[in-house]
Amino acid sequence: EDDAFPYDENESTDTDGDGTGDNADTDDDGDGVDDGLDNCPLLANQDQADCDDDGIGDVCELADGTQVDDNADGVPDDCEAADCPPDFSGAAGVPDGAVGIEDLLHVIAEWGQAGGDCDDDGDTDIEDMLIVIGWWGLCP
């Protein structure tokens, strides 16, 4: 590993490239969160996402392999909702892991047909629209 500060025996690394060595830098990854409060101090994660509340940021867990993210949405698979009935949207009809406007538009487009049925009653109606609205933002 190259020494970023060859003339300073107290410094050798500048993780965020800001010209201040990590020993003196209070925000090594440059994400705006001081290292003492940062749940992933060497990888930038301004939002401090920690979906499993274990004190280690999702960014760190994904980087070190302790969590996986098969759909590459930045949310560890263990933290994604396993059952998200009103999630219709995504490439080629594959759910995208979030309930939003695309899903509501799908229900409207399928009105009176089975394609937007969330409550398993065989057709798409107001109850299905209310289910989509109720799940809005809950499927990470």
Side-chain angles (χ1 to χ4, degrees):
E1 184 174 318
D2 290 332
D3 187 343
F5 304 94
Y7 303 109
D8 184 344
E9 63 186 45
N10 296 317
E11 293 287 356
S12 63
T13 305
D14 179 15
T15 301
D16 60 3
D18 65 356
T20 302
D22 288 355
N23 291 333
D25 198 342
T26 59
D27 181 17
D28 292 342
D29 58 14
D31 62 5
V33 179
D34 283 346
D35 292 340
L37 302 173
D38 200 329
N39 64 14
C40 187
L42 297 179
L43 293 174
N45 62 331
Q46 188 174 16
D47 65 2
Q48 297 292 289
D50 178 14
C51 69
D52 58 5
D53 293 320
D54 65 356
I56 302 169
D58 295 344
V59 170
C60 276
E61 290 185 318
L62 292 171
D64 71 14
T66 56
Q67 290 277 3
V68 294
D69 181 16
D70 289 332
N71 64 1
D73 65 356
V75 177
D77 293 347
D78 288 348
C79 297
E80 291 185 314
D83 184 22
C84 189
D87 181 14
F88 299 106
S89 62
V94 177
D96 64 2
V99 176
I101 190 67
E102 295 85 6
D103 303 299
L104 186 59
L105 292 174
H106 177 82
V107 167
I108 292 169
E110 293 293 325
W111 203 262
Q113 304 169 44
D117 184 20
C118 299
D119 59 4
D120 297 322
D121 68 355
D123 69 343
T124 304
D125 53 22
I126 190 68
E127 287 87 9
D128 302 298
M129 184 179 288
L130 293 173
I131 290 171
V132 169
I133 292 169
W135 279 80
W136 201 278
L138 295 179
C139 298

